[in-house]
Amino acid sequence: MGSERVIGRLEALCYARHARDLELAKQKGGHPRGLKFDLAAGERVIAFVETFCRHHKGEWARKPLLLEEWQKDVLRMLFGWKRADGTRRFRKAWIEIPRKNGKTELASALALYLLISDDNEQGAEVYCTGTTREQAKIAWSGAVAMVKQHPDLKRFVKPWRNTITCERMGSKLEPLSADFGTLDGLSPHGDIRDEVHAWKDEGLASVLDTATGARRQPMTVEITTAGTYDRESVGWRHHDYAVRVLEGTFDDDRQFAFIAAIDEGDDPWDPAVWSKANPNLGVSLKADYIAEQAELAKRQPSFTNEFLRLHLNRWTQQVTRWLSMDRWSACPSEPINESMLEGRTCWGGLDLASKLDLTAFVLVFPNPDGSLTLLPRFWLPESTVDFQLKQGRAHYAQWVRDGWLQTTPGEVVDYEFIVAEIVELSQKYALREIAFDPWNASGISTQLAEHHGIQMVETRQGVKTLSEPAKNLEALIVSKKIHHGGNPVLAWMVGNAVVRRDVNGNIAPDKEKASDKIDGVVATIMAMSRVESTDDGYATRGFLSL
């Protein structure tokens, strides 16, 4: 997989995911989740595109759409992986590449394939969707042009004013947008979404996602460039989810992701890194063109963000992650045997959210070798999990099913439920203290202290209190001395975390600027602040050297 060109970290993770699953599928007994790779299925899509689809613009107009190796790789993975029942593994695809890398042509070709493919999906409904009618018609118009240019294709497919039909299959391909008519009665087999970075809310996406239930193996393909960071926008949330799948934070067999972008720390003005974001560099995209755009951005600083976003696939105005997910993944992740920790000395951190939100409690166990073992607990109201599922955030429900996230009955967090579990943990382990933020936890802290004799310590959320333990957490992660047990909820929060800094270089977690919840990280740092302020905490694990 992949070519000889320089590729970025996220693209490499796509190929690595494929390679891991191939190895699992080859082992005795097959893939543990029943997945199989059918190379011929991917090659059929490639053959369809290269045989029947033609360019319809510019110097390549009317010439066959011959795919580059990276495009073939994408199609092989996207259509080749099958479930145990023989249907496609992937139901959603996030393909993020800059302009002029063949994005629209690929979208149009995929729309046609899903219209008349060998899925044997009679009465298939395929849509090219966008925020506006004009946007939705871009990929659809490309499909119309491809039909008109190929005589064999025209025999089976008929383009009309606002639809393309395949009479033999009883299927149709139409442009669709939120600003056009009713969205009732849809049953999509295929949904090609263009420039999702510009989608502001989940309205159209949610309607289409819920309408696929009657289809055996629906396919949603989101093809886009990078956008401007807005943690509430559809584009950012889908991009962020795709990144987490590639990094292994979310284990989602439904989601495929391919992202070509320069990496953090790359010099955007260095031509050597441009191929990371532009897999078609030297083919549909000339190096001279990017050089011209780079010079323009240098002369006009107001154009810099546009250059980074459109040509190097970097999300602009994006906050910078504090902790490296690669470093976090390299830390010990084997399941933690909680019974082996019984009687061990530990400190706790409690980050109590609003009654509608997520609450985190983390126990920190110092180890003789200077490492720390983390034992987290997370709670959320049942109604919040249901609400998040309707918003397209299925990971909460998955964590509940897998036992990583606990729900409390009703629409608000049941603090009595949380108190009971913390008390149970305090009886199981030698819990010295619990650090808590007094802003939202005075009631529960009083109950734990006065009714159950647990030592509670107010821990303010400023740099004065949290800087040293935050820096120590960073150092321990770098040195692979955090035993986190592969907890996916905590890993997700680590990936969300950002920090604020003062003039003296002190740091503290910043919930306001974080891309999503970081409660587990905050709870960990608060617990570490108590370990480091207690004499026997150091005696247990030795001094930490930065």
Side-chain angles (χ1 to χ4, degrees), residues 19 44 55 73 103 136 158 208 219 236 253 256 323 360 382 389 391 393 403 423 432 451 463 488 507 522 529 537:
R44 281 196 296 272
H55 293 275
D73 286 344
K103 176 173 63 67
K158 303 296 182 185
L208 290 165
M219 171 75 78
W236 170 258
D253 278 333
F256 173 80
L323 300 168
E382 287 178 348
L389 186 60
Q391 298 299 308
R393 297 175 177 178
V423 170
R432 291 293 309 277
H451 293 233
V463 295
I507 64 174
V522 174
S529 74

Side-chain angles (χ1 to χ4, degrees), residues 208-271:
L208 290 165
D209 287 343
T210 56
T212 61
R215 298 295 181 179
R216 184 165 176 260
Q217 49 178 354
M219 171 75 78
T220 297
V221 181
E222 297 180 314
I223 303 185
T224 186
T225 58
T228 300
Y229 169 72
D230 174 1
R231 69 179 184 178
E232 296 304 319
S233 72
V234 177
W236 170 258
R237 292 214 302 260
H238 290 201
H239 160 86
D240 186 58
Y241 187 81
V243 170
R244 304 308 179 87
V245 169
L246 290 175
E247 291 176 337
T249 304
F250 298 147
D251 190 9
D252 188 349
D253 278 333
R254 294 173 54 89
Q255 181 73 56
F256 173 80
F258 177 91
I259 301 173
I262 62 171
D263 296 321
E264 289 185 22
D266 281 345
D267 178 2
W269 315 114
D270 182 2

Side-chain angles (χ1 to χ4, degrees), residues 355-376:
K355 289 192 173 185
L356 300 176
D357 218 332
L358 195 146
T359 291
F361 179 63
V362 178
L363 290 176
V364 172
F365 295 80
N367 300 314
D369 63 357
S371 66
L372 297 178
T373 297
L374 308 183
L375 191 61

Side-chain angles (χ1 to χ4, degrees), residues 12-31:
L13 287 176
C14 174
Y15 298 132
R17 181 191 188 193
H18 174 72
R20 282 195 305 272
D21 283 323
L22 278 180
E23 287 302 312
L24 289 172
K26 292 176 183 177
Q27 67 183 6
K28 186 178 180 180
H31 197 288

